[in-house]
Amino acid sequence: MLEHIVLGILYDQPHTGYEIKKEIDETIGIMYRASFGSLYPMLKKLCSKGLITETDSSDTAESGRIKKYYQSTEKGKTYFHTWLTAPMEFPDSIENQLGKVYFFSMLTPPERTEQFAGYEKSISQFRTKLEEMHEACMAKPDSEHDYYHGALVYYGQTLIDNLTRWCALVKKQKELK
Amino acid sequence: MLEHIVLGILYDQPHTGYEIKKEIDETIGIMYRASFGSLYPMLKKLCSKGLITETDSSDTAESGRIKKYYQSTEKGKTYFHTWLTAPMEFPDSIENQLGKVYFFSMLTPPERTEQFAGYEKSISQFRTKLEEMHEACMAKPDSEHDYYHGALVYYGQTLIDNLTRWCALVKKQKELK
DNA sequence: CTAGCCATGTAAACGGTTACATGATTGG
DNA sequence: CCAATCATGTAACCGTTTACATGGCTAG
């Protein structure tokens, strides 16, 4: 996840590690929490993979302060776009699924339409699965323990229904309030 | 998480590792997916911590087949109960939060009431936080990118509202359909 | 007899957190 | 001058996944 978020943030503007962290905290932070302990090693890793490049601020003589700017390479952009257009599917976590939506402005309208269509299909398939589970639960509705098991499955259903409604709104770029 | 699930399953009945895996897959599987690669080492770990004990089936001369039954010790039960009554709070993931609810039949009615009360308080606090975020988003509603950022925050709000409704139902042990 | 389930495990890797360590810059 | 924020990093650890490895039991 972090890998893709970083590439997304660096897509058209260079950032320092510190700036990336701040950006994440203030935006997708609801879905994904980053820590310096994972971020800095990730930047090194992406460099060694050739997906981003590092520019030391001392090179550009900006100031005496050591500051490292990272920017995406063409390879990194391609890699990111491949991820962004790849299907969003269950049972991947909602956080991972919606983390992708955060970058949907980087898709062309047709790509976006296709992503939503695939996602909605995947959601409805999962809903069917949950209905089967719910029936299986109802088949033995005796103990208190079974009640709470049923409650979890029921939660899953309400979550899916909520996600479906949300999807329909966002897809049409309607005002959200 | 796995630690607590295992202790919950072993609370009043001995199980083999394989049986525990099956039990998880068929019940809390919606919230937490277990793999043998994490389960078997966890059983060893809980043994060495004195929270569970191992009984080899060959000891009881059941058959030639090697089968290891695990059961919770008193220490393990106390440990589990401590976890179960500990506050459920954000920003812990929904999966972790609701995974606890699966074991709510093991709480006394007053304990359960208190858990729900604390949880509902925690939910409403988080809702307030999201409202602040939503306002901050609305303050700069220009670009497409901001739209999708707002969509994530909005999803958070609908998730919280859905969770609130679910909580109210489950708390009263109403029929869920 | 063989496919599928029962049953136990290990090793390497992954993705991440937490705590630690250092030090420059800026604003009140 | 001091606190907060900017800025970069490392080391130890954690929980987990994936793939591998082995083999017994059972029903068709």
Side-chain angles (χ1 to χ4, degrees):
Chain A
M1 183 90 257
L2 179 57
E3 192 182 20
H4 305 114
I5 292 174
V6 169
L7 289 173
I9 291 175
L10 297 181
Y11 200 88
D12 34 35
Q13 262 146 42
H15 290 74
T16 67
Y18 193 84
E19 284 167 355
I20 294 170
K21 168 77 158 62
K22 223 181 142 189
E23 178 91 5
I24 293 175
D25 290 345
E26 289 168 3
T27 57
I28 2 173
I30 332 163
M31 299 292 160
Y32 181 88
R33 251 155 298 285
S35 69
F36 286 123
S38 57
L39 181 57
Y40 283 114
M42 178 57 73
L43 289 168
K44 297 285 164 194
K45 196 185 153 193
L46 291 174
C47 274
S48 71
K49 279 212 222 173
L51 300 174
I52 60 173
T53 55
E54 184 188 303
T55 315
D56 220 289
S57 70
S58 63
D59 297 349
T60 53
E62 196 195 90
S63 81
R65 177 79 160 274
I66 321 121
K67 225 171 164 181
K68 291 177 178 178
Y69 281 92
Y70 295 92
Q71 53 193 315
S72 189
T73 62
E74 276 313 305
K75 198 177 159 189
K77 290 185 185 186
T78 308
Y79 186 84
F80 175 76
H81 189 261
T82 303
W83 168 75
L84 193 55
T85 49
M88 299 155 69
E89 271 167 17
F90 291 90
D92 207 355
S93 77
I94 300 283
E95 285 79 23
N96 283 343
Q97 289 163 17
L98 299 195
K100 205 176 267 194
V101 176
Y102 176 69
F103 295 107
F104 265 25
S105 61
M106 293 173 174
L107 289 176
T108 63
E111 281 172 336
R112 212 182 295 156
T113 305
E114 208 191 309
Q115 267 297 44
F116 271 120
Y119 191 40
E120 283 175 325
K121 199 179 159 189
S122 171
I123 290 171
S124 79
Q125 276 169 6
F126 194 67
R127 166 84 220 198
T128 307
K129 216 168 144 188
L130 283 175
E131 273 159 27
E132 284 163 19
M133 279 189 196
H134 191 71
E135 269 177 60
C137 280
M138 292 299 101
K140 41 157 192 168
D142 42 350
S143 74
E144 243 191 348
H145 189 240
D146 289 330
Y147 176 78
Y148 290 105
H149 175 204
L152 287 201
V153 178
Y154 177 70
Y155 178 77
Q157 290 186 320
T158 63
L159 180 141
I160 288 300
D161 293 342
N162 182 48
L163 187 59
T164 305
R165 281 190 300 273
W166 178 83
C167 234
L169 283 180
V170 176
K171 188 173 65 172
K172 291 178 189 169
Q173 297 215 17
K174 284 201 180 170
E175 206 200 337
L176 309 161
K177 54 163 187 69
Chain B
M1 182 91 256
L2 178 57
E3 191 181 21
H4 305 115
I5 292 175
V6 168
L7 289 172
I9 291 174
L10 297 180
Y11 200 87
D12 35 36
Q13 261 147 41
H15 290 74
T16 68
Y18 193 85
E19 284 167 355
I20 294 171
K21 169 76 158 63
K22 224 181 141 189
E23 178 89 6
I24 292 175
D25 289 346
E26 289 168 2
T27 58
I28 2 175
I30 332 162
M31 298 292 159
Y32 180 87
R33 253 154 297 287
S35 68
F36 285 124
S38 58
L39 182 57
Y40 283 113
M42 178 57 74
L43 289 168
K44 297 286 165 195
K45 196 185 154 191
L46 291 174
C47 272
S48 72
K49 278 212 223 173
L51 300 173
I52 60 173
T53 54
E54 183 188 305
T55 315
D56 220 289
S57 71
S58 63
D59 298 349
T60 54
E62 196 194 90
S63 81
R65 176 80 160 275
I66 321 123
K67 225 172 167 182
K68 290 177 177 178
Y69 280 92
Y70 295 92
Q71 53 193 315
S72 189
T73 61
E74 276 312 305
K75 198 177 159 188
K77 290 185 185 187
T78 307
Y79 186 85
F80 175 76
H81 189 261
T82 302
W83 168 75
L84 193 54
T85 50
M88 299 155 70
E89 272 167 15
F90 291 90
D92 208 354
S93 76
I94 300 282
E95 285 78 25
N96 283 344
Q97 289 163 16
L98 298 194
K100 205 176 265 194
V101 176
Y102 176 69
F103 294 109
F104 265 25
S105 61
M106 293 172 174
L107 289 175
T108 63
E111 281 172 335
R112 212 181 294 156
T113 305
E114 208 191 310
Q115 268 297 43
F116 272 119
Y119 192 40
E120 285 176 324
K121 199 178 158 189
S122 171
I123 290 171
S124 78
Q125 275 168 7
F126 194 68
R127 167 84 222 198
T128 306
K129 217 168 144 189
L130 283 175
E131 273 159 26
E132 284 162 19
M133 279 189 196
H134 191 71
E135 269 176 62
C137 281
M138 291 301 102
K140 39 155 192 169
D142 42 349
S143 74
E144 242 190 349
H145 189 241
D146 289 332
Y147 176 79
Y148 290 106
H149 176 205
L152 287 202
V153 178
Y154 177 71
Y155 178 78
Q157 290 186 319
T158 65
L159 180 141
I160 288 300
D161 292 342
N162 182 48
L163 186 59
T164 305
R165 281 191 300 272
W166 177 83
C167 233
L169 283 180
V170 176
K171 187 173 68 173
K172 290 179 187 168
Q173 298 213 17
K174 284 201 180 171
E175 206 199 337
L176 311 161
K177 54 162 188 64

